[in-house]
Amino acid sequence: MVELAESIPRRLRVAALGRGARGAVTWDLALAAVLAVASFVPQLAGNGLSLGELTRRQGDLWAVVLTLGQCLPLSVRRRWPAWCLALVAGCFAAYQCLGYRSDFAGVGVFAALYSAGAHVGADRSRRGLIAAVTAGYLTLAIALHHLGSPERPLDYCTFYIALLACWGGGAWVRGRQALEAARRREDARLAISRERARIAWELHDVVTHHVTAIVVQADTAQLLVSGAPDRAVESLTAISGTGRRALAELRHLLGVLETPADGVGRPEADRDGPGAGRAPALDRFRDLVERTRLAGQPVELSEDGEPTPLAAGTELAAYRVVQETLTNAVKHAPGRRTVVRVRYGEEIHIEVTTDGPVVAEGAFTAGRGLTGLHERVSSCGGELAAGGRPGGGFSVRARIPSGAGL
């Protein structure tokens, strides 16, 4: 069941990553194509990028090749950002040194630097790449100076700062994406932890209650076999019924865990709303009390008001409060008088008291069951308190808003 809880978000992440990767490739191909076409539009040449100002050569086949070399590698800028930067920067440097006229393709070096900052993986690789870019840029600046470029040292420094700004912008985006990915992983971890806790609560409530009843009824049957065989048969019949109910609730729980998020394929027992099938419901308090009586525990039930339709979580929380407290009464105070009081209204008030000796101050510690109940009731906006009574015995009190979760 835990594997099921973990596999669902994993499948969703894999599907989302597949769709995102296809979309990214499409956008990169579109960027490379648009930049390549724009590079051959004469009106955009004046908006291009020129570093050496060595315009002394007419366009030819090599100019076309170098122009495309500054554009087309951008189609793989996310998948192979370092290779994309190397190709674009190399073609840009050759284009500037050969003295071709300015064109729009030079913008590609900024896009390639941004992509390298955003998508190069390890820190060591990024440091090595920025060192290579710096060394290459110094080599280009020296070469342009020897070729007679009119650019001043300040112009080269300004251009280098612009290159670093593009790299830094990509690195900043990468950092934001890393933080967002870490946040999503933490959210997924917390969601899985909450689901594990919910499964643990349900299994504890279902299994502990029914197994406790079976054990008590089996012990009673052993005592009655020789002296009162008719009553022993009744105990065995109660054991059979309790076991079947436990299996039914476990099947319902497994069906809930296997239900897709959209509800398609829900078990028939749960399609008519909470409590319609095997799910516990408030109108089963009497059945729950009756089964506890069969286990030999004297239980009284008092209900005030009329039950109203509730959200599934609220209804289940109220049921589990009574179920868990009756289970504890059977385990820790067998044969003691237990009273269940339920008052319906805008809030559901539940009080379960069990007779017994005075509980010494500090002697009570909440176990897994009561801890799970407290968290379950709190998640519905309610409150739960448990402890010894001044006159002796033990009590559990719960207040749950009727409209919680609607």
Side-chain angles (χ1 to χ4, degrees), residues 233-275:
V233 170
E234 292 179 1
S235 295
L236 292 174
T237 302
I239 291 173
S240 176
T242 302
R244 286 188 172 87
R245 279 188 291 270
L247 289 175
E249 287 201 32
L250 285 173
R251 280 195 294 268
H252 172 79
L253 176 58
L254 292 173
V256 171
L257 292 175
E258 294 173 355
T259 300
D262 58 1
V264 177
R266 280 191 301 175
E268 293 292 336
D270 195 38
R271 286 187 179 174
D272 296 328

Side-chain angles (χ1 to χ4, degrees), residues 8-9 26 40-42 50 58 78 92 94 105 122 139 156 188 197 212 228 243 255 314 353 387:
I8 292 174
T26 300
F40 294 98
V41 177
S50 178
Q58 297 298 318
R78 298 176 206 244
F92 173 79
T139 302
Y156 289 118
T212 299
T314 303
T353 59

Side-chain angles (χ1 to χ4, degrees), residues 317-360:
Y319 183 90
R320 295 302 189 206
V321 168
V322 177
Q323 183 184 56
E324 175 65 19
T325 50
L326 290 180
T327 300
N328 288 339
V330 172
K331 287 197 300 183
H332 303 298
R336 301 278 188 170
R337 177 173 176 264
T338 302
V339 179
V340 179
R341 298 183 179 87
V342 182
R343 187 171 76 252
Y344 303 102
E346 293 184 1
E347 297 179 332
I348 302 173
H349 292 266
I350 300 173
E351 182 179 16
V352 182
T353 59
T354 303
D355 293 343
V358 176
V359 179

Side-chain angles (χ1 to χ4, degrees), residues 124-135:
R124 184 175 180 180
S125 298
R126 290 200 296 272
R127 289 193 297 267
L129 190 56
I130 195 63
V133 168
T134 302

